[in-house]
Structure formats: C-alpha cells, structure tokens
Amino acid sequence: MAHAYRFGIEEELFLADARTRAAPQDSVAAFHEAAGHRLEGVERELLENQAEISSKPSDSFAEAEDALAGLRTGLCRIGREHGLKVFAAGTHPTAIWAKQRETSKLRYRKMIDNLQMVGRRSVVCGLHVHVEVPDPDERIALINRLMPHLPVLLALSTSSPFYDRHRTGLAGYRLRAYAELPRTGLPELFADAADFDRFVRVMTRAGAVEDATYLWWHIRPSVRYPTLELRVADSCTRLKDALAIAALYRCLVRLYVRRPDLAVPLTGASRGVAQENLWRAERDGVHASLIDEAAEEIVPVRRLVERLLDLTAEDAAALGCASQVAHALTIASCGSSADGQIAAYEKALGKGASERRALSRVIDWLARETADCGG
C-alpha cells in the first residue's frame, strides 16, 4: 500500500477515592502534577477526576501495547501514592455529576461556560483511535463508508452501564449522556473534502465554534494530523479490548481504501439504519442484534464480528495485527466490560450488600482490570 496506516490510541481514564470508592471530593492536583512530571503521554481532561493517556504514532501494535501498558501501570502506581484508584470505563459508576470539579484550563472553562449544564453532566470517558489517511478527500469518503460499522465497534467497547450512581439498564450509557452536547453523534453526509471545509468555514466564521476540534462526532477527520479519528467507543477497561477495537478499525480503514468496489453510496436511509443500530448497541452491547440493511434482517453482534474478521483477514495479516483483531471475537463471545461490571454489582447485591456498597465493588473490579494490562 502507499503508506503504513500508522495509528495512535488515546484512552480517557477516571479516578476514584481509594477509601470511599467515590469520585474524589478534594483536589487531585498533586496526582496530576506527579503524573505530568513522571510520565510522558499523560494529559488533563475536562474534569479533575479524569486523565488521558496516548500512544505515539506507530505501525506496531506491540509498541502501542507497551506504551499504554506502561502508562496505565504508572498512573495506577501514582494513584496509590495519592489514595486514588485509576480505572477505564465509559462512565464513572459512583460519580455524581453535579459535584464534579472542572479542570482549570482556559479551553475547558470556555467549554463549560458555553455548554452550561450539559457540559457539566458529561462525566464520560472514551477511546479514540487515529489512523493515517493522507488524502483529505479519502478521509471524507471513508467517514460515509465506515459509518455502518460504527455500531459493532461500539458494542465491543461498551463499558458504561452505570451513571450518577444508578444502574441505567444499558450496556453503553456514555453516548446517551454525550448526546446532550451539540455536534455529537453521526457526522453529516459530506460530499467531499471541499464540502466539509465549507461547513467548518461557515461554523467558525459565524462564531459557532472556534475550530473543527469542537466537532465531537463519532468519527471525524483530525484537524492536527492526517488521520481519520474514531470516537464512538467507550473507554475500554481491558487494554486487550482497546487494542482489538483499534486494530479492527485500522483494518477496516485499509480495507475500504484498497477496495473501491465496497464504496456503496450512503443514503439518508442508510444513516438512519446506522443510527438505530447505535441505539441497539448502546442498550445491549455485545448481546445486541443489529439491522443488516441489505438483507433487511437483524443479525447478532457475534455474527457481524465474524463477518468483519473474514472481510479484513488480508488487512490484518498485512498490518501484523491478526491476534489483536481476533480478540474482538472473544469480546463478542465472553462479554465486554459492561458485562463484568454488572456481574460484580449483582454478585455484591446477592451477598446482601447495599447498592452503594455494590457500586464500590464495581469500582474495585474496574481498577483491577485496568491495571492488569496482560489480561
């Protein structure tokens, strides 16, 4: 191929008080200061009880895994030193949104001032994956062509069954909370890069947004890098799950670049089907059945994953990530983080724990699984 489809992975993480298992009530500035000094690849996020880690651009999943495992381990170590648990999940099971502290950074202060309550309610963490696509027109075309696959990637990542100390009944509540923000969800059906650039120009000149980084769609062309960024996924508790989703997305990008014959024009109806499938993935996670538009029937997520593995086999081999992609089937068969969280919660309730104590057990499970970078 013309290039290596280099990629980078960003993971957003939460903090919890190690004693109470609640979101920290006091300032955690000392934790963030230590993380910033001791670890390369750690950034602040919108809320004080969040942190972001990222791998450098690479064409090696082994390299990305080593980097993210080191950052997870390092953050967990610093967390213990400051009486905190660090974990990856789409939502924070014990956080009360109204009691969260925003990070003192100009960008975030301006965001909260603009978004008001919907911004403060956005106690969510996501997994973002950048894949190199040098041609701007290709990036826009890929957005439309990849849109039908986003629900499967979401289902595999679901890790947000709790919100504001309540069980939501959904496997992936994060996108429901995130949908309160403007300019989220599925992107518009842009004709080409010029059409997208015109949209950004109108929005910025009108003062609606400062720049294209305020377009928070499930998939978008990056402003800073020649990449197509996946944003639909929940933050994955298990590192292996994050790598599987990143690998499958990378393979799908390569597949659609090398196979122009798969360029089925996306219509309004197709976008509507993708939107319905996102809801089904949010509600049921890997246990969902999604609509196959061409066959006009529903298909279990596991079967859709099997189809994607067959479809991208050549790409996985070429990119050296066959083992990472294969793990997607393990997630579909054995469950995502949402299943693990619910199991920990129900086990605690079954032993007579209160709902508050059961949520504490969920925090413990999340922290263990996040730190177990080999599992």
Side-chain angles (χ1 to χ4, degrees):
M1 305 299 289
H3 60 91
Y5 294 90
R6 293 194 306 162
F7 67 97
I9 300 172
E10 300 166 354
E11 296 188 291
E12 296 171 344
L13 309 173
F14 281 120
L15 306 176
D17 186 292
R19 182 178 61 84
T20 66
R21 293 353 183 239
Q25 295 301 300
D26 298 325
S27 173
V28 291
F31 165 85
H32 287 295
E33 183 177 358
H37 283 148
R38 290 162 55 179
L39 299 173
E40 183 181 356
V42 178
E43 299 288 343
R44 301 290 296 271
E45 260 299 326
L46 177 65
L47 303 176
E48 274 207 357
N49 77 343
Q50 294 175 304
E52 181 186 83
I53 61 176
S54 59
S55 65
K56 294 180 179 179
S58 174
D59 60 6
S60 166
F61 271 94
E63 187 176 276
E65 181 174 12
D66 286 347
L68 293 173
L71 288 168
R72 282 183 175 221
T73 301
L75 274 187
C76 289
R77 183 182 303 114
I78 294 169
R80 288 193 295 272
E81 294 170 3
H82 291 81
L84 298 168
K85 288 181 177 285
V86 179
F87 64 92
T91 52
H92 195 306
T94 59
I96 297 176
W97 70 263
K99 295 184 178 181
Q100 301 313 296
R101 301 159 64 107
E102 296 94 33
T103 296
S104 181
K105 184 177 179 180
L106 180 59
R107 175 183 172 89
Y108 297 139
R109 289 202 304 269
K110 291 169 69 174
M111 282 175 58
I112 292 297
D113 183 61
N114 178 265
L115 296 168
Q116 293 297 310
M117 189 175 82
V118 298
R120 296 187 179 93
R121 283 175 52 83
S122 188
V123 188
V124 299
C125 280
L127 165 70
H128 303 158
V129 183
H130 289 262
V131 173
E132 180 184 26
V133 182
D135 183 354
D137 276 317
E138 189 91 70
R139 290 200 288 271
I140 299 302
L142 284 169
I143 287 177
N144 295 342
R145 297 169 65 196
L146 292 172
M147 203 177 291
H149 297 301
L150 298 185
V152 174
L153 298 174
L154 171 63
L156 293 170
S157 76
T158 46
S159 64
S160 48
F162 301 98
Y163 181 79
D164 212 43
R165 294 186 180 175
H166 291 87
R167 181 173 175 179
T168 65
L170 278 64
Y173 184 75
R174 166 182 156 267
L175 289 189
R176 287 296 95 200
Y178 203 54
E180 292 188 350
L181 274 63
R183 303 177 297 280
T184 58
L186 292 175
E188 310 308 322
L189 299 178
F190 295 107
D192 50 31
D195 193 30
F196 171 75
D197 290 344
R198 178 176 177 273
F199 175 78
V200 173
R201 184 174 67 252
V202 170
M203 293 287 284
T204 53
R205 288 184 179 177
V209 297
E210 288 188 21
D211 55 54
T213 63
Y214 290 84
L215 306 175
W216 298 308
W217 298 317
H218 296 337
I219 184 171
R220 71 179 184 184
S222 173
V223 174
R224 292 179 292 178
Y225 311 110
T227 62
L228 188 61
E229 181 186 7
L230 178 76
R231 299 172 53 84
V232 74
D234 282 5
S235 184
C236 292
T237 308
R238 303 181 184 97
L239 179 55
K240 284 184 68 174
D241 293 4
L243 293 169
I245 291 163
L248 185 53
Y249 173 62
R250 185 182 178 213
C251 287
L252 282 168
V253 170
R254 184 181 187 275
L255 168 70
Y256 277 88
V257 170
R258 73 178 178 84
R259 290 281 305 274
D261 57 299
L262 296 179
V264 178
L266 197 71
T267 65
S270 301
R271 187 178 184 277
V273 170
Q275 187 67 63
E276 172 63 21
N277 280 338
L278 283 169
W279 159 245
R280 298 170 79 92
E282 291 168 26
R283 186 187 62 200
D284 299 325
V286 297
H287 308 288
S289 290
L290 307 182
I291 299 170
D292 182 325
E293 182 183 3
E296 299 185 9
E297 62 183 15
I298 59 171
V299 180
V301 163
R302 179 191 166 97
R303 179 63 187 133
L304 292 172
V305 171
E306 290 172 343
R307 290 179 184 177
L308 287 181
L309 295 188
D310 289 342
L311 196 61
T312 60
E314 178 182 328
D315 305 283
L319 296 174
C321 57
S323 62
Q324 287 83 8
V325 170
H327 182 68
L329 189 57
T330 301
I331 304 171
S333 302
C334 301
S336 69
S337 169
D339 295 289
Q341 291 180 55
I342 292 168
Y345 177 77
E346 292 182 340
K347 180 179 179 180
L349 290 179
K351 291 183 176 181
S354 65
E355 289 195 12
R356 180 69 180 274
R357 182 61 62 87
L359 287 175
S360 294
R361 299 289 77 79
V362 174
I363 296 293
D364 291 341
W365 183 88
L366 285 166
R368 286 194 304 272
E369 294 294 312
T370 299
D372 183 13
C373 297

